Amino acid sequence: MNTEKKAGRAARRTFRMNPAMTAGIIIVGILALTAILAPVIAPCDPYQYGVPYEKPSADHLLGTNDVGQDIFSELLYGTRVSLLIGVFTSLVVTVIAASTALVAGYYRGWPDKLITAFTNVMMGLPNLALTTLLVAYLNPGKISIIISIALTAWTGTSRILRSRIIQLCEMPFIKIEKSLGVSDGVIMVKHLIPNLRDVILSRAALSVSNAMLTEASLSFLGFGDYGEKSWGNILHYAFYQKGVIRGFTWWYLPPILCIALSVMGFMLIGYYGAQRKEDGTDA
Amino acid sequence: MLCETRDLTKIYRGNHGVPAVDRACVSVDRAETIGFFGESGSGKSTLGMMIAGLTSPTSGQILFKGERISMRYPKEVRRSIQILFQHPETSFNPQLELIKSLTEPYRVYGLPYEYSEMLEYLSGFGIYEEHLYRRPSQLSGGELQRAALARILLVRPELIILDEPTSMLDVITQVQILNILKRYQRESDAAFIFVSHNSTLCRSFCDRIYSVQKGVFTPMDKEE
């Protein structure tokens, strides 16, 4: 009970201190709920064909597309794919970035030189072009999109984590652990990672927004998962079926707004985390 | 001789070849306390860190019980040489409760662990049960330094590098820490390397003193 009260107080204090963070959490919360409840709240089956190019009405809140599918239902289902790809890509990015940063920052020497050189090369490559190439090579699909985005998006997080690990390794408590004979693995898992928690979480949130944006770009370019509804896919068809030229704003504007809003939501959380770390206001 | 260094040199990268420690030849015997006395940045802590195996030397040798030791210390040597730092507030993982850090040596060296016995042991350092479930940020500098000392003495080291361990503490805690160290030395014949820029403390606590200037270690008369 006492712990619950404390947690509640801490949450209230966080919200009071940072309205941007609150906004981010609310946006992401709504997105997550929408993704989970999409089959319940969607008024129509998004894959069902009907009368094409209908304007918004009581039956179809955002009208229908070129094959008569309900755009509002497509949008709700699209949340699932965008969020799923965003979150899983972020997980893969975090694992790759944390592993490379730990090896480079903790051991230094040649592993550091090798990883840093590889990171620099990867950072120099144009991300979207490389991701598109990888997706095309691996055949479009959710897993290939996740792998392709993750393989090109880990570098920034890895670089930030590496520099933080180097700082931490200079701290007496890490030196004492080494001096006490604690194994490298235990030092990394028990002492380094918990002290990187805030950086990891803020970078993970930023990775989600980056992945969602890249997924939308890939889908728009026609490299998305054809079997699934996603915001990028809706945009792709709106553009290629001349919805944009004809001025069907109800078709192309909602996915743009959804992408922008969700990217903003995750970025607000990510930047808040980074700012909190810089201010030293974390517990 | 318990530990000695032969022409131990450390040149940090980016320091234009200027050695932080320049061909240091120091030695310490059992039950002896030697002091490294010098200004900040003179290289005294760097030598301490090299002896503790936490910084790799550029050249030279470290001998422990007559045997040359390389950078990756074997477990027994690692256990025998411990270090106590200046800033107690950074000597513990800030994310962990004190008890988790204090029980680490039991796990690493498979020491017999009994909670009540550990409490009794810690009470000798002025650390009690109420301190154990707090994070470092909730403890005072004195409490943390006593806890840090308790943790390293758990493994019964033969050589302890004391890197200005009392400079951030009040006089009462300073005396407590030094008394605990002296008692441990009497019981175990451990050797201490005392790193300090406080000449009075160095003279009163150490048997021999090395003066450190720009990385050069020179034996000096205690009465100088």
Side-chain angles (χ1 to χ4, degrees):
Chain A
M1 186 66 188
N2 209 13
T3 318
E4 280 171 22
K5 271 185 189 171
K6 271 185 191 170
R9 267 204 302 273
R12 277 197 296 278
R13 200 168 53 237
T14 304
F15 289 165
R16 258 204 314 275
M17 272 164 53
N18 203 310
M21 170 76 168
T22 316
I25 289 173
I26 290 171
I27 292 169
V28 171
I30 292 170
L31 272 179
L33 273 178
T34 310
I36 294 164
L37 300 173
V40 182
I41 54 177
C44 306
D45 177 357
Y47 297 96
Q48 195 185 332
Y49 300 115
V51 182
Y53 303 123
E54 272 196 55
K55 285 186 177 177
S57 64
D59 288 340
H60 301 289
L61 287 174
L62 294 172
T64 59
N65 64 11
D66 59 313
V67 288
Q69 290 168 334
D70 181 62
I71 294 170
F72 182 62
S73 303
E74 276 190 307
L75 211 62
L76 294 177
Y77 272 83
T79 315
R80 297 186 132 191
V81 174
S82 299
L83 206 62
L84 184 107
I85 288 178
V87 170
F88 275 93
T89 306
S90 171
L91 277 175
V92 180
V93 163
T94 305
V95 170
I96 298 174
S99 315
T100 49
L102 277 169
V103 173
Y106 185 78
Y107 291 109
R108 305 299 304 275
W110 69 264
D112 184 25
K113 281 180 189 158
L114 197 72
I115 290 169
T116 305
F118 184 62
T119 310
N120 288 342
V121 170
M122 290 298 288
M123 283 183 116
L125 297 171
N127 267 7
L128 188 59
L130 189 64
T131 311
T132 312
L133 210 68
L134 278 169
V135 174
Y137 180 74
L138 294 170
N139 293 328
K142 276 199 285 290
I143 293 176
S144 67
I145 291 174
I146 289 171
I147 293 171
S148 307
I149 300 174
L151 285 178
T152 55
W154 58 272
T155 49
T157 304
S158 174
R159 184 172 270 194
I160 288 169
L161 287 177
R162 174 190 164 272
S163 66
R164 181 81 186 115
I165 289 165
I166 292 170
Q167 280 177 2
L168 280 173
C169 285
E170 289 303 311
M171 300 280 282
F173 78 88
I174 296 292
K175 289 184 187 293
I176 288 172
E177 297 300 334
K178 284 182 186 174
S179 163
L180 279 168
V182 178
S183 68
D184 294 346
V186 173
I187 291 178
M188 287 180 193
V189 173
K190 196 172 164 187
H191 299 288
L192 287 175
I193 290 178
N195 283 289
L196 296 167
R197 192 188 54 202
D198 282 17
V199 187
I200 288 176
L201 287 177
S202 66
R203 290 296 304 181
L206 292 174
S207 292
V208 176
S209 68
N210 175 51
M212 288 175 89
L213 205 57
T214 312
E215 185 276 329
S217 309
L218 287 171
S219 296
F220 177 73
L221 291 171
F223 290 98
D225 187 353
Y226 281 106
E228 298 265 8
K229 297 286 178 193
S230 82
W231 296 334
N233 252 333
I234 301 173
L235 263 179
H236 171 80
Y237 286 111
F239 187 78
Y240 287 101
Q241 299 303 329
K242 301 192 173 48
V244 178
I245 293 171
R246 291 180 191 175
F248 296 162
T249 46
W250 60 86
W251 192 0
Y252 66 83
L253 212 55
I256 292 175
L257 289 176
C258 284
I259 293 164
L261 207 68
S262 54
V263 166
M264 192 177 79
F266 281 105
M267 283 183 109
L268 285 174
I269 296 174
Y271 280 127
Y272 166 76
Q275 193 187 340
R276 207 165 71 118
K277 192 75 215 163
E278 277 165 21
D279 295 348
T281 47
D282 57 323
Chain B
M1 201 59 67
L2 181 68
C3 183
E4 64 178 297
T5 66
R6 289 183 186 162
D7 292 327
L8 207 61
T9 301
K10 178 70 188 178
I11 302 171
Y12 285 110
R13 237 181 314 162
N15 209 17
H16 309 292
V18 178
V21 173
D22 192 4
R23 287 166 292 162
C25 297
V26 301
S27 61
V28 62
D29 212 342
R30 286 186 189 281
E32 188 185 27
T33 303
I34 61 164
F36 294 163
F37 168 65
E39 292 170 3
S40 298
S42 57
K44 52 193 192 303
S45 291
T46 304
L47 183 58
M49 297 275 277
M50 283 196 284
I51 293 171
L54 298 172
T55 299
S56 56
T58 308
S59 63
Q61 296 178 358
I62 303 169
L63 283 86
F64 187 71
K65 294 182 187 171
E67 282 188 31
R68 188 179 169 184
I69 45 176
S70 59
M71 185 54 196
R72 301 284 297 180
Y73 285 7
K75 204 167 183 179
E76 270 318 300
V77 176
R78 178 61 78 206
R79 180 177 176 167
S80 299
I81 306 176
Q82 293 299 318
I83 185 162
L84 188 66
F85 285 100
Q86 179 181 14
H87 297 283
E89 68 279 9
T90 54
S91 292
F92 289 93
N93 185 339
Q95 306 291 339
L96 296 182
E97 287 174 343
L98 195 63
I99 187 163
K100 288 185 181 151
S101 296
L102 288 175
T103 49
E104 200 124 51
Y106 287 98
R107 192 183 53 74
V108 174
Y109 292 103
L111 305 174
Y113 174 74
E114 185 68 51
Y115 184 69
S116 56
E117 280 178 21
M118 186 187 72
L119 280 183
E120 196 186 326
Y121 168 76
L122 291 173
S123 67
F125 296 83
I127 301 295
Y128 304 100
E129 196 168 15
E130 74 248 31
H131 299 119
L132 296 182
Y133 297 94
R134 293 187 203 163
R135 290 192 180 190
S137 58
Q138 296 165 316
L139 293 160
S140 71
E143 287 163 343
L144 285 171
Q145 196 65 315
R146 289 199 302 270
L149 186 57
R151 180 169 58 169
I152 62 168
L153 295 190
L154 258 177
V155 301
R156 310 296 296 169
E158 294 172 78
L159 171 63
I160 304 177
I161 292 130
L162 303 160
D163 192 353
E164 307 203 36
T166 56
S167 63
M168 304 298 285
L169 306 174
D170 59 84
V171 179
I172 296 169
T173 315
Q174 278 186 27
V175 173
Q176 285 174 340
I177 297 277
L178 295 177
N179 283 342
I180 293 169
L181 284 166
K182 279 290 173 196
R183 194 173 66 221
Y184 178 73
Q185 193 172 45
R186 275 197 304 275
E187 287 167 8
S188 65
D189 278 351
F192 296 151
I193 295 176
F194 191 74
V195 178
S196 180
H197 58 254
N198 183 333
S199 63
T200 315
L201 193 59
C202 235
R203 284 193 176 90
S204 64
F205 190 67
C206 303
D207 302 313
R208 287 187 294 123
I209 299 173
Y210 289 88
S211 150
V212 190
Q213 278 182 326
K214 292 180 181 170
V216 179
F217 286 69
T218 320
M220 69 179 262
D221 191 339
K222 265 181 78 171
E223 308 309 319
E224 249 179 60

